[in-house]
Amino acid sequence: MNISNLPIVEVDLEHLSGALSPRIAGEDSEHLEAMLSAQGQMPPILVHLPSMRVIDGLHRLSAARLRGQRTIAARFFRGSEADAFVMAVRMNIEHGLPLTIADRRRAARRIIGSHPEWSDRMVASVAGVSAGTVADLRGSRVEGEVRIGQDGRVRPLDGTEERRQAAELIRSDPTLSLRQIARKVGLSPETVRDVRGRLERGESPIPAGRRRSHMPPGRPPIQGGGDAGQRFLPAADQDRLTTLNRLKADPALRLTETGRNLLRLLTLHAIPGQDWDRILMNVPPHWGSSVTDLARAHAAIWTEFADRLEGRLTGLAAERAAATKETWTRGHVAAASEIGVGRARRQREHREPRSALPAQAGSLGEDRDGGEVHTA
């Protein structure tokens, strides 16, 4: 969508209700000050019409409120809230105050949740991170059998069979271009390039471990064979253990009851993957359904906990930004008042006639007591 083609309208500031911003810390006081001191007309903001939330232009909106404006120029976006967030990320990546790495990773994680059919490269191009980072954030979660690439084409998630077909085409007709093969088998040109490179090096067209372990929709549960060779990813990796040890060393957590409860829960879930495998294989079959329901319920609680904690941190950051903005505004008002008082004093002194110098200091021919001053 070309935003510049959308009509510009004047919107009452009172009708706008918050922002769909990807910024964890909310407003930046220095960027807001730059907006206030900028000369000329600001570009219109972008607003999600169904919710009247700001997609792009949070600092411009705050600057308008501080200037005492009642309206602001805006364009309206009529898509879903999920698409509006994607638009907010895209526009903040393209211009204005850069997003932090944490902002981009959080945005990528949210886009993966709202657009699971998008490829890693597609999410990466929007969030401003690498495709590898998106793959790490996506983890082992697999939803659906296809992905939508940056070019809008739908391609299979696994791609094993398509890679085999591409390899056969390359062997049978080496003169075919990458794009011709890609169109025939439904892969991206870059994937076909990878297949060709593997064949030239004498390797298999399918990378080792390429296929992710997942259960396609409608497939019945594995009977009798347990997890049939599938294994948990190691939960107690080094980065997670390092973070957990830092949390345990913080007095704010280990010296409070709620902090100790949190540390116990986090430590419990940091057991190695093989321990999870052992627990799974030893769940009594007659309790399997109950354990499954409890596990999913607990997972939902942790997800809600993470979402609410993230929201709380965002709110605290916004409060700090608002306090900083209020302090900055009061300082400028006080400075402006002092300047105004000084200007008024100078104007008053300029209007009043000055007294003659002898009247102030006395006659040059007299001393302080009124007597004459004799000179030798």
Side-chain angles (χ1 to χ4, degrees):
M1 173 184 289
N2 190 349
I3 300 299
S4 60
N5 292 335
L6 296 176
I8 301 174
V9 296
E10 288 291 323
V11 180
D12 195 321
L13 299 185
E14 294 181 355
H15 294 164
L16 300 175
S17 58
L20 285 163
S21 174
R23 301 183 189 280
I24 297 174
E27 294 180 8
D28 182 277
S29 57
E30 293 183 0
H31 192 62
L32 178 59
E33 185 173 355
M35 288 285 178
L36 286 169
S37 60
Q39 300 295 323
Q41 188 172 359
M42 289 290 177
I45 65 174
L46 184 63
V47 178
H48 183 228
L49 182 59
S51 65
M52 292 303 289
R53 299 175 69 186
V54 177
I55 296 174
D56 181 54
L58 176 62
H59 290 92
R60 277 168 278 167
L61 174 62
S62 297
R65 283 174 170 155
L66 286 174
R67 291 193 189 103
Q69 295 177 213
R70 300 184 65 179
T71 62
I72 190 171
R75 290 186 170 102
F76 284 127
F77 176 81
R78 290 175 168 79
S80 67
E81 189 162 319
D83 289 338
F85 180 78
V86 170
M87 182 66 68
V89 176
R90 193 190 300 273
M91 297 192 72
N92 276 278
I93 291 293
E94 292 176 353
H95 67 85
L97 183 67
L99 296 177
T100 66
I101 296 298
D103 291 336
R104 298 179 186 207
R105 288 176 63 89
R106 177 173 175 265
R109 189 180 295 110
R110 179 167 171 178
I111 294 171
I112 290 169
S114 63
H115 296 75
E117 73 280 6
W118 282 12
S119 69
D120 293 345
R121 288 193 182 98
M122 180 68 169
V123 176
S125 68
V126 173
V129 296
S130 68
T133 297
V134 176
D136 291 341
L137 292 173
R138 197 189 295 271
S140 59
R141 180 176 66 180
V142 178
E143 298 182 27
E145 292 296 304
V146 297
R147 289 283 184 266
I148 300 176
Q150 287 180 260
D151 57 2
R153 294 178 181 271
V154 178
R155 297 185 175 90
L157 175 62
D158 184 1
T160 301
E161 183 58 33
E162 287 75 12
R163 279 176 169 264
R164 289 197 183 100
Q165 295 174 11
E168 290 300 322
L169 286 174
I170 292 171
R171 293 189 187 103
S172 62
D173 189 354
T175 63
L176 289 174
S177 69
L178 299 177
R179 292 190 179 277
Q180 287 175 321
I181 298 173
R183 283 195 294 268
K184 286 177 179 292
V185 301
L187 292 174
S188 70
E190 285 303 313
T191 302
V192 177
R193 187 192 303 277
D194 179 72
V195 171
R196 175 176 287 176
R198 288 178 174 278
L199 293 177
E200 291 174 351
R201 295 190 299 270
E203 301 174 2
S204 169
I206 305 166
R210 168 73 178 178
R211 185 163 188 163
R212 299 182 184 183
S213 297
H214 66 284
M215 183 180 293
R219 173 179 168 183
I222 299 172
Q223 300 292 335
D227 58 359
Q230 297 183 15
R231 292 292 180 264
F232 285 96
L233 294 174
D237 54 62
Q238 189 59 44
D239 290 343
R240 214 172 305 186
L241 282 177
T242 300
T243 302
L244 186 57
N245 288 332
R246 290 175 59 191
L247 291 175
K248 290 179 179 179
D250 189 347
L253 290 173
R254 60 186 175 85
L255 297 182
T256 63
E257 182 180 357
T258 55
R260 288 192 294 270
N261 287 337
L262 176 61
L263 291 175
R264 279 193 289 268
L265 290 171
L266 293 174
T267 302
L268 179 64
H269 290 85
I271 62 176
Q274 59 267 28
D275 289 353
W276 284 112
D277 287 321
R278 190 160 49 250
I279 293 171
L280 182 147
M281 297 304 296
N282 286 282
V283 173
H286 60 281
W287 286 116
S289 178
S290 299
V291 172
T292 298
D293 292 341
L294 284 172
R296 288 194 173 123
H298 291 161
I301 291 172
W302 272 114
T303 300
E304 182 181 359
F305 178 86
D307 291 342
R308 291 177 62 181
L309 178 58
E310 194 172 55
R312 176 174 172 267
L313 295 177
T314 302
L316 290 174
E319 290 176 5
R320 286 196 297 270
T324 302
K325 179 173 65 179
E326 183 178 358
T327 302
W328 180 86
T329 303
R330 287 179 177 176
H332 273 251
V333 170
S337 177
E338 186 175 347
I339 292 172
V341 171
R343 185 182 293 115
R345 184 186 300 113
R346 288 193 297 272
Q347 291 175 350
R348 187 170 59 252
E349 291 175 351
H350 180 73
R351 289 195 300 267
E352 292 177 355
R354 296 185 177 181
S355 302
L357 183 59
Q360 293 180 359
S363 174
L364 292 176
E366 296 180 354
D367 62 10
R368 291 182 180 179
D369 295 328
E372 293 184 358
V373 179
H374 299 280
T375 58

